[in-house]
Amino acid sequence: MTAIKKKKRVSKKTKTAWRKYSNINDVEEFLEDQRLEERLGKFETKPDAELFVLDTQGVDKPEEIDVKPDIKPLSAKQRKREKLSETPKCFEVLLPTSKVQDPNAKRNHVKPVGSKPSDLSKITKQRKLVKGVLAKKVEDIKKNKKMVAERRKKLKSIRKTYNKNIWDDDVLEAKGMPETLVDEFISPEAQLHNVPTTKRLRSKPPLPKSVVTRKSVEVPHPGVSYNPSFKEHQELLQEVVQHEQKMMKREAHLNRVTTGMFSKVTPKEKENQWREEMSVGLPQPHDPTTDPDPEPSDNEYKAINPPVKNKKKDHKARRKQRERIEERERLKREKIDRKKITDLYKLRKIQSSLINKEKRDAELRTKRTTKRKQLEETALPALNKNRPPAKEPDFVDPKQLTGDLRNLSNTSNLLKERFESLQRRGALAASKVMMKKKRKLKSYFKSGHKVTEKDIERYVNRDVGKK
């Protein structure tokens, strides 16, 4: 005999009690199934081929031994080429991840705040157009609009001539471009990056011209020779002098704009200034010489703030003041009118000066552009942030000129010269000399050790030999 479980009576007057003692598992399961159908799609809408599988082998058929075909594993490059047919990761964000339909099919498009141009935004846009700030944007917009219009025109027009070879390899897919990347919104750099090297649309850029054109060993000046002529030696000496003058001028300029800007103060003046600054706010001793001279008094009482007399101007004084103001204004107006007349006569002169200035500016602009182009052609590749060291002019002192190779002394380091030459030609990245700071070791007498007079004398005179 089964024991009948007594029904437990509980209060459900609060939300927590209702949730605790109410069984809603069936409702939760139903809602979960409904959400799953919304995400993956309903079974009624799916075709039978997705839901059922047709068994064509049967149960009684003996099991066949799976023989794995001898297929070579793909290389990393081949796997990368196979992935090109897939949708790029940047476009996967745009694809829908759920099959839930939009609850509002007829959704009105609401323009965001600020999309409608105001009067102020129209004025600012017009100003930017006049200045040329939005010139490039406007050109791109016009170019895109023109492209879209031509494409629509081509689609509408009926093709009557059949001179196109459909088997030709002019299609981008035939040149090695993946179908997913054949789009006008993808930059040509991205398309070229994903094309095989054998099927590139354009060849790789050549090496920098500086590496190719610059000579590995520069021809030195004839004045550097061990037996130069007097003229060549003097020419080299003039170049070295000009270089040194330029460096001295630069050093003097830096000294003038840094240390030269501040006034020099003697130690005594510095001490007096320091004493004055430190003694501000402290009670000073009385100095009778600084006291003002007392005015003679006749025992009369004088108020600290004497009363102000309300002395008004009469009619004559006011009239004189008004006449002076009117005369000043009249003279000012006459001066402005005379200046206007003189400016009218100066118009031709101003116009000629403006034309001359524009010509000078145009000449300077052309010179600047040509110089910039020449520098770009011969510029070094930017391998790092450091600049290669500039070559300083070589010079041999007249006292060191030997006249023969036997007594010739070496003045430069061959390895350093070749290293700097590679940097100047752009073959190596420019380096920077990094100096390590030497730590100053503190020396002292250890407590508990015997110290003699010789040790003390050696400690005092430890830096004498170094100097």
Side-chain angles (χ1 to χ4, degrees):
M1 187 175 176
T2 58
I4 300 168
K5 193 176 180 181
K6 195 176 181 181
K7 220 173 191 183
K8 192 177 179 181
R9 294 184 176 274
V10 290
S11 175
K12 295 183 182 179
K13 63 181 180 181
T14 58
K15 283 187 178 181
T16 53
W18 185 269
R19 291 194 190 100
K20 186 175 179 182
Y21 299 111
S22 298
N23 188 9
I24 55 169
N25 290 333
D26 52 348
V27 179
E28 290 288 342
E29 288 174 3
F30 172 73
L31 292 173
E32 190 65 33
D33 293 340
Q34 205 170 18
R35 292 190 204 102
L36 188 67
E37 284 182 358
E38 284 182 353
R39 287 198 301 272
L40 306 176
K42 293 184 178 181
F43 291 106
E44 292 85 358
T45 57
K46 290 187 176 182
D48 295 342
E50 291 186 13
L51 299 173
F52 304 103
V53 178
L54 185 64
D55 188 8
T56 56
Q57 294 180 357
V59 184
D60 301 332
K61 193 173 181 181
E63 294 182 358
E64 293 180 357
I65 300 168
D66 293 338
V67 180
K68 293 183 179 180
D70 189 11
I71 301 170
K72 291 182 180 180
L74 297 173
S75 63
K77 195 173 183 180
Q78 289 173 343
R79 288 198 300 272
K80 190 178 178 183
R81 291 297 166 203
E82 281 189 353
K83 282 185 179 180
L84 288 174
S85 58
E86 300 175 4
T87 307
K89 288 281 184 184
C90 58
F91 293 155
E92 283 185 2
V93 186
L94 304 174
L95 298 174
T97 56
S98 174
K99 293 188 177 180
V100 180
Q101 295 179 356
D102 190 0
N104 188 3
K106 297 179 180 179
R107 190 179 296 280
N108 294 329
H109 177 68
V110 181
K111 289 184 179 180
V113 179
S115 61
K116 189 177 179 181
S118 61
D119 296 337
L120 184 61
S121 64
K122 286 177 183 176
I123 293 165
T124 52
K125 190 177 179 182
Q126 192 66 27
R127 285 176 183 168
K128 286 182 179 179
L129 283 170
V130 171
K131 287 181 181 178
V133 178
L134 301 174
K136 193 172 183 304
K137 278 188 177 181
V138 172
E139 286 178 6
D140 292 342
I141 290 165
K142 286 180 180 178
K143 188 178 177 182
N144 293 335
K145 281 184 178 180
K146 193 176 180 182
M147 198 189 299
V148 172
E150 287 177 358
R151 191 177 295 139
R152 284 179 182 171
K153 196 174 180 181
K154 282 181 183 178
L155 290 171
K156 286 181 181 179
S157 62
I158 301 167
R159 194 163 156 229
K160 295 179 181 179
T161 56
Y162 298 93
N163 54 0
K164 187 180 178 183
N165 185 9
I166 59 174
W167 307 111
D168 199 0
D169 290 347
D170 288 338
V171 190
L172 291 171
E173 288 86 345
K175 291 185 177 181
M177 189 82 68
E179 291 183 4
T180 53
L181 295 175
V182 179
D183 197 349
E184 62 185 65
F185 297 106
I186 298 173
S187 62
E189 287 82 6
Q191 293 175 347
L192 181 65
H193 178 73
N194 290 285
V195 173
T197 52
T198 55
K199 296 182 178 181
R200 285 194 183 274
L201 301 177
R202 59 185 177 192
S203 59
K204 282 187 176 180
L207 286 169
K209 291 182 180 180
S210 56
V211 181
V212 181
T213 56
R214 295 194 181 188
K215 295 179 181 179
S216 56
V217 180
E218 296 177 357
V219 180
H221 196 276
V224 191
S225 174
Y226 65 92
N227 190 14
S229 64
F230 179 75
K231 186 181 177 182
E232 291 169 349
H233 192 267
Q234 289 298 314
E235 286 177 0
L236 180 62
L237 181 62
Q238 288 298 323
E239 288 182 9
V240 173
V241 167
Q242 287 176 5
H243 178 72
E244 287 297 325
Q245 285 178 351
K246 190 177 179 182
M247 298 300 290
M248 287 166 65
K249 189 177 178 182
R250 185 183 177 189
E251 190 176 351
H253 168 70
L254 290 172
N255 190 18
R256 188 176 66 253
V257 297
T258 52
T259 49
M261 289 176 68
F262 306 103
S263 59
K264 294 181 180 179
V265 183
T266 59
K268 192 174 181 181
E269 290 177 355
K270 188 178 179 183
E271 188 179 355
N272 293 333
Q273 286 180 4
W274 178 81
R275 190 180 288 107
E276 287 177 7
E277 289 175 1
M278 292 295 107
S279 61
V280 171
L282 297 174
Q284 301 291 336
H286 179 67
D287 189 3
T289 59
T290 58
D291 291 343
D293 296 332
E295 295 180 0
S297 59
D298 298 335
N299 295 328
E300 291 182 7
Y301 172 76
K302 288 186 178 180
I304 298 168
N305 189 13
V308 181
K309 294 180 181 179
N310 190 5
K311 189 179 179 182
K312 293 183 179 180
K313 294 180 181 179
D314 55 352
H315 292 287
K316 185 179 179 181
R318 289 186 183 280
R319 179 171 55 77
K320 292 283 186 184
Q321 185 184 7
R322 187 168 60 252
E323 287 176 358
R324 282 197 299 271
I325 293 168
E326 289 176 357
E327 183 68 19
R328 202 183 302 126
E329 289 293 329
R330 187 181 63 78
L331 292 171
K332 194 188 290 184
R333 282 197 298 272
E334 285 180 359
K335 188 177 179 181
I336 292 167
D337 293 338
R338 285 198 301 271
K339 192 174 181 301
K340 285 179 182 178
I341 293 164
T342 52
D343 287 344
L344 286 172
Y345 290 113
K346 285 182 182 177
L347 279 175
R348 290 181 182 176
K349 193 176 180 181
I350 293 166
Q351 192 174 3
S352 63
S353 64
L354 285 172
I355 291 166
N356 293 332
K357 188 177 180 299
E358 286 175 0
K359 285 181 181 178
R360 286 197 302 272
D361 292 344
E363 289 174 1
L364 286 170
R365 208 178 296 116
T366 50
K367 284 181 182 178
R368 223 177 283 124
T369 50
T370 50
K371 190 176 180 181
R372 198 184 295 120
K373 284 179 182 177
Q374 288 175 0
L375 288 172
E376 285 176 359
E377 288 175 357
T378 58
L380 292 172
L383 301 176
N384 60 0
K385 63 176 183 178
N386 299 325
R387 287 187 178 182
K391 189 178 180 182
E392 294 186 358
D394 298 326
F395 180 69
V396 182
D397 193 37
K399 297 176 183 178
Q400 297 178 359
L401 291 172
T402 57
D404 57 347
L405 288 170
R406 185 172 293 176
N407 300 324
L408 187 66
S409 60
N410 190 14
T411 57
S412 62
N413 188 357
L414 183 63
L415 182 63
K416 184 182 177 183
E417 185 186 351
R418 290 294 87 212
F419 182 68
E420 289 181 355
S421 173
L422 288 170
Q423 288 180 350
R424 280 193 292 272
R425 285 185 284 138
L428 282 179
S431 58
K432 198 175 181 181
V433 180
M434 305 295 287
M435 302 295 288
K436 275 191 175 182
K437 288 185 178 180
K438 291 184 179 179
R439 292 191 299 173
K440 292 183 179 179
L441 299 174
K442 188 178 179 181
S443 58
Y444 59 93
F445 294 112
K446 196 171 182 181
S447 59
H449 284 255
K450 187 178 179 181
V451 181
T452 60
E453 291 182 0
K454 287 184 179 180
D455 294 335
I456 294 169
E457 189 178 353
R458 198 184 304 117
Y459 178 76
V460 171
N461 301 327
R462 66 188 184 279
D463 296 330
V464 175
K466 294 179 182 177
K467 292 178 181 177

